[in-house]
Amino acid sequence: MSPLGAAFDGAGTNFAVFSEVAQHVELCLFDEDGAEERVTLKEVDGFVHHIYLPDVGPGRRYGFRVHGPYRPERGERCNPGKLLLDPYARAIEGEVEWNEALFPYHFDAPGRRNDLDSAPYAPKSVVVNPFFDWGSDHPPRTPYHETVIYEAHVKGMTKTHPAIPEPMRGTYAALAHPAMLDYFVKLGVTAVELMPVHQFVQDHALAERRLSNYWGYNTIGFFAPHNAYCSSGQRGEQVQEFRSMVKALHEAGIEVILDVVYNHTAEGNHLGPVLSLRGLDNAAYYRLSQEDPRFYWDTTGTGNSLRMNHPHTLQLIMDSLRYWVTEMHVDGFRFDLAATLARQFHEVDRLSSFFDLVQQDPVISQVKLIAEPWDVGDGGYQIGNFPPLWTEWNGKYRDTVRDFWRGEGGTLGEFASRLTGSSDLYQNDGRRPYASVNFVTAHDGFTLRDLVSYNGKHNEANGEDNRDGENHNRSWNCGAEGPTRDRVILALRARQQRNLLATLLLSQGVPMLLHGDELGRTQHGNNNAYCQDTELTWIDWPNVAEGSELLDFTRTLIALRREHPVFRRRRFFRGRAAHVSGEAVKDITWFTLTGREMTDTDWDTGFARSLMVHLNGKAITEPDLRGLRVEDDSFLLLFNAHSQALGFTVPEGLDPWWAVEVDTAIPYTEYRPLIKGGSEVEVEARSMLVLRAHQDG
């Protein structure tokens, strides 16, 4: 009976599937011509139906049919007319071909049970070869405080790259191509966070509009790499190609983090298709309405939510996570709508069974765990409330940094908090600054270039009359909506992109870049491009100059962060004097533009849009991971979000001389004379200066 799924041992395959409600289960084996052979799983232990078949090996396609009660009013939806995917399938062949036979009802009579055979239209599970030569592969295990994450889409990242052979583009193999590995290494990122690569379904509604589920947040196979991202046409080869990609990225020192969707599946609500879990054991796997179990309790906005208080649902998720770590060698996970995973009953519970299991698991607890800390249910916005083992996408960081640089008043205090690691969110439960995964842009929303080019969304291509997508983007078009030839506006937009990148990469916490932002990628104002698998969302590599100014600027910032521990501290700033080597020093000090230390009144000034912060490299009190004391250069960061240039007085009593490391007013580094403490330096309108303490003048 164990393990669940199809396990090939070199001589035969064991098939095992859970269903508590089933009266009996049939295993359906398909030959090369598509002919179906059915075998009843007569052995049942603990509601696991299983059989061992010798001479059945890798490449064999299969599925299940479940015989049992069909009583939707009680949440029971068994129907042997529906071929079901194995929830533990390691590979899936084909995709859903939308047909009435896939649904539990007839289109012309929704109340009548539909017994049409779905097999001709359903994808098939595939037995895979579990063996792979990992060689000397080992995880990079980059510490959180040294991590720079790059959020990427397998296809969008590589589809147009001229150095990659055309048949390989848009696949796992393309991400492992030397051209991409070289790009990641030169950029300086340490981890690639892949948007969903679990097997997903193209939505029926999108297919009818001739669009596609580009993002992939519509999972149907929690163990199977998405087959459309495989460059090989061989059945089940996506597993080995994915492994080869991970191995190549590891050899380049880059971690692989997966964006995973364990909160819902592609089966949707009561009007959705029967593809897997719904037909196996609907009430065990899904949250059903207590008032009427025909319907689903949904906190994801997708039609259903997985039942996180059922032991076999929890086992499915935990087994999947362990599989991707142990058998596929991934280095971490970003959990989509993670608040849903915390809903053991209805309320969000940070001590739910799922988090207990993760905390105690010897495998999963050792990798990077990143929560998207919200869902669409009541009380679903849970930033700062996840357990200490977890890090979180910090939506408050995104919102505050956007507001500050577009000139919103009253943001100084919160901006300072976000810049220094959001201690107000993470310090009280013993977490560190790297609990905050900082980002300004992500796949959901504007790209960086569009954030400074559009006041409103432009999603007409999605076919929803521009109703979809976020309306309050905290964006600013800098004076014209969309494309313009106005040089002043274009210069301001370029400066704003540099401001946002510099703030992100020099903040405490873990920075995350959206793929293509460093290249000026645009989606022409579409802030919800989930259904656009076109040039709109792909990186336009043929028109990207390798030496582009923004790319070089981003590389410079990442290198500065890597070289200076003061920008990636492992503990929060104290803000008060501490004794270091017998000397009382402050690790951080905030100044007004006159060089005076800020008071409560200064923080509360609603019209102020400038500030200066001293990061004392001599006051890093924690040792590094080898136990050695860390000392770094000191830095002054000067922020001017005003519409006019301002004179900043470099505070006296710190270091006597300062060198300009970064000036976001210009796209490149140029020689600048040293600045003497106590003197005034002009900071251009809407720009930022980074000064490094220099030993002598």
Side-chain angles (χ1 to χ4, degrees):
M1 60 176 284
S2 180
L4 290 167
F8 174 67
D9 62 6
T13 301
N14 187 75
F15 295 89
V17 65
F18 162 78
S19 178
E20 185 173 352
V21 71
Q23 294 165 353
H24 70 273
V25 177
E26 291 178 309
L27 169 67
C28 305
L29 298 170
F30 295 86
D31 65 17
E32 294 302 320
D33 297 324
E36 178 181 349
E37 175 189 357
R38 301 188 187 184
V39 181
T40 298
L41 306 184
K42 295 182 179 179
E43 296 294 329
V44 184
D45 295 280
F47 304 115
V48 174
H49 305 249
H50 58 99
I51 191 171
Y52 180 85
L53 296 179
D55 303 322
V56 173
R60 194 67 180 269
R61 295 174 299 164
Y62 71 99
F64 296 111
R65 296 183 188 270
V66 172
H67 297 256
Y70 183 81
R71 295 176 290 198
E73 70 279 4
R74 297 178 59 174
E76 298 167 343
R77 293 180 175 270
C78 299
N79 186 337
K82 311 308 172 190
L83 183 75
L84 306 175
L85 286 168
D86 180 359
Y88 281 72
R90 268 48 172 181
I92 293 172
E93 182 183 65
E95 59 183 33
V96 173
E97 297 179 31
W98 291 108
N99 184 278
E100 184 178 8
L102 293 164
F103 293 83
Y105 56 89
H106 289 276
F107 291 168
D108 59 352
R112 183 162 59 93
R113 170 173 160 162
N114 179 350
D115 292 324
L116 294 172
D117 184 8
S118 68
Y121 313 102
K124 311 296 189 294
S125 306
V126 180
V127 180
V128 303
N129 183 352
F131 308 109
F132 180 77
D133 183 8
W134 283 103
S136 59
D137 179 73
H138 63 276
R141 295 197 181 280
T142 306
Y144 266 123
H145 69 290
E146 295 178 3
T147 296
V148 178
I149 297 174
Y150 191 84
E151 188 191 29
H153 188 283
V154 171
K155 186 173 184 179
M157 187 74 200
T158 63
K159 183 60 179 174
T160 71
H161 203 297
I164 299 173
E166 190 167 352
M168 187 187 293
R169 297 175 191 171
T171 69
Y172 306 121
L175 275 181
H177 189 276
M180 290 311 310
L181 299 177
D182 184 64
Y183 181 79
F184 292 138
V185 170
K186 286 183 177 178
L187 181 59
V189 297
T190 68
V192 174
E193 182 178 300
L194 298 179
M195 291 178 65
V197 296
H198 288 173
Q199 187 70 40
F200 59 85
V201 171
Q202 300 296 337
D203 307 53
H204 189 201
L206 291 178
E208 289 183 325
R209 304 206 309 263
R210 297 187 177 182
L211 298 170
S212 64
N213 189 336
Y214 173 67
W215 285 353
Y217 292 93
N218 207 24
T219 303
I220 199 61
F222 294 115
F223 292 77
H226 189 59
N227 53 30
Y229 297 154
C230 180
S231 64
S232 169
Q234 297 182 18
R235 187 176 301 152
E237 188 60 27
Q238 60 265 39
V239 178
Q240 306 295 43
E241 187 170 314
F242 183 93
R243 287 168 166 163
S244 295
M245 176 198 72
V246 173
K247 185 177 178 181
L249 285 164
H250 281 180
E251 288 175 352
I254 297 167
E255 294 184 306
V256 179
I257 298 172
L258 301 187
D259 192 338
V260 290
V261 187
Y262 291 112
N263 53 74
H264 73 279
T265 78
E267 291 184 299
N269 62 17
H270 63 288
L271 299 176
V274 181
L275 302 173
S276 183
L277 303 181
R278 174 173 286 147
L280 283 166
D281 199 328
N282 185 57
Y285 284 114
Y286 293 116
R287 290 182 177 273
L288 305 180
S289 168
Q290 293 181 341
E291 291 75 23
D292 189 344
R294 289 177 300 178
F295 303 105
Y296 294 82
W297 191 66
D298 176 24
T299 59
T300 66
T302 61
N304 65 58
S305 301
L306 285 180
R307 183 180 171 186
M308 296 305 298
N309 65 344
H310 192 281
H312 279 277
T313 302
L314 284 170
Q315 181 186 357
L316 172 69
I317 296 173
M318 297 298 291
D319 286 350
S320 171
L321 291 169
R322 275 190 293 268
Y323 172 77
W324 286 97
V325 175
T326 60
E327 300 298 323
M328 307 296 267
H329 286 207
V330 304
D331 305 284
F333 305 95
R334 178 265 188 189
F335 293 81
D336 177 65
L337 301 181
T340 291
L341 302 177
R343 293 182 185 272
Q344 185 156 347
F345 297 100
H346 293 284
E347 72 285 351
V348 176
D349 181 3
R350 64 180 291 184
L351 301 177
S352 71
S353 297
F354 173 69
F355 294 110
D356 287 344
L357 291 172
V358 168
Q359 184 78 27
Q360 299 169 28
D361 191 275
V363 174
I364 304 169
S365 64
Q366 299 305 304
V367 301
K368 288 183 167 68
L369 302 171
I370 305 170
E372 182 185 36
W374 51 77
D375 65 14
V376 300
D378 291 340
Y381 197 70
Q382 291 291 317
I383 285 181
N385 292 332
F386 278 71
L389 189 65
W390 291 68
T391 63
E392 303 175 16
W393 269 27
N394 191 343
K396 290 188 176 182
Y397 179 96
R398 171 200 59 204
D399 296 345
T400 301
V401 171
R402 288 184 179 191
D403 278 347
F404 176 80
W405 281 115
R406 71 191 180 108
E408 287 292 300
T411 60
L412 288 190
E414 188 162 5
F415 179 75
S417 178
R418 304 298 157 239
L419 186 73
T420 54
S422 297
S423 60
D424 57 323
L425 299 177
Y426 305 115
Q427 189 171 26
N428 288 341
D429 60 5
R431 286 195 278 177
R432 303 290 183 86
Y434 47 73
S436 177
V437 175
N438 301 326
F439 65 104
V440 175
T441 56
H443 67 272
D444 187 1
F446 283 139
T447 67
L448 182 66
R449 179 174 169 182
D450 289 355
L451 185 67
V452 300
S453 303
Y454 295 91
N455 282 348
K457 63 186 181 182
H458 296 267
N459 299 353
E460 291 80 7
N462 296 353
E464 299 179 46
D465 297 323
N466 206 36
R467 294 189 304 269
D468 63 301
E470 176 61 54
N471 291 314
H472 185 41
N473 295 283
R474 293 180 162 86
S475 61
W476 178 45
N477 65 20
C478 297
E481 189 72 358
T484 181
R485 294 183 179 180
D486 188 308
R487 292 185 178 180
V488 174
I489 293 175
L490 291 174
L492 176 56
R493 288 177 178 177
R495 191 158 69 248
Q496 286 287 75
Q497 290 178 76
R498 293 192 293 270
N499 289 332
L500 292 163
L501 284 170
T503 303
L504 172 67
L505 290 165
L506 301 181
S507 292
Q508 306 298 321
V510 179
M512 185 186 78
L513 288 167
L514 171 63
H515 83 249
D517 273 357
E518 75 282 8
L519 301 168
R521 184 174 73 88
T522 179
Q523 293 177 170
H524 303 294
N526 192 320
N527 75 349
N528 189 36
Y530 74 103
C531 58
Q532 298 294 331
D533 187 3
T534 67
E535 291 86 352
L536 181 72
T537 52
W538 306 337
I539 291 182
D540 185 15
W541 288 107
N543 293 313
V544 169
E546 173 64 19
S548 69
E549 291 177 340
L550 191 59
L551 175 59
D552 287 344
F553 184 79
T554 307
R555 288 172 172 167
T556 297
L557 290 169
I558 294 176
L560 185 66
R561 178 185 184 87
R562 181 175 60 248
E563 293 163 4
H564 292 284
V566 76
F567 295 119
R568 44 181 177 82
R569 290 170 53 98
R570 292 192 295 117
R571 288 183 171 84
F572 287 105
F573 290 105
R574 296 181 179 182
R576 61 178 185 272
H579 287 277
V580 178
S581 300
E583 180 184 359
V585 295
K586 291 179 67 173
D587 52 10
I588 187 170
T589 310
W590 300 92
F591 297 94
T592 67
L593 58 83
T594 63
R596 173 177 52 81
E597 192 166 342
M598 290 185 70
T599 65
D600 291 343
T601 301
D602 296 319
W603 286 114
D604 294 336
T605 303
F607 59 83
R609 291 171 177 80
S610 65
L611 76 164
M612 180 166 37
V613 59
H614 177 241
L615 307 180
N616 194 336
K618 298 176 181 153
I620 303 178
T621 56
E622 76 267 23
D624 66 12
L625 295 179
R626 298 166 297 174
L628 303 175
R629 191 171 106 66
V630 175
E631 187 168 310
D632 193 12
D633 295 327
S634 296
F635 286 83
L636 270 175
L637 278 58
L638 288 62
F639 298 91
N640 179 18
H642 279 277
S643 58
Q644 297 179 343
L646 295 175
F648 282 69
T649 300
V650 177
E652 293 187 275
L654 301 177
D655 288 84
W657 295 96
W658 298 86
V660 177
E661 286 288 317
V662 176
D663 183 353
T664 65
I666 54 177
Y668 46 82
T669 302
E670 64 177 21
Y671 172 76
R672 302 272 288 275
L674 295 178
I675 299 169
K676 184 177 175 57
S679 63
E680 184 175 284
V681 57
E682 184 174 84
V683 180
E684 291 294 332
R686 294 193 172 94
S687 73
M688 171 182 170
L689 267 185
V690 178
L691 307 182
R692 179 174 56 86
H694 201 274
Q695 295 304 312
D696 47 54

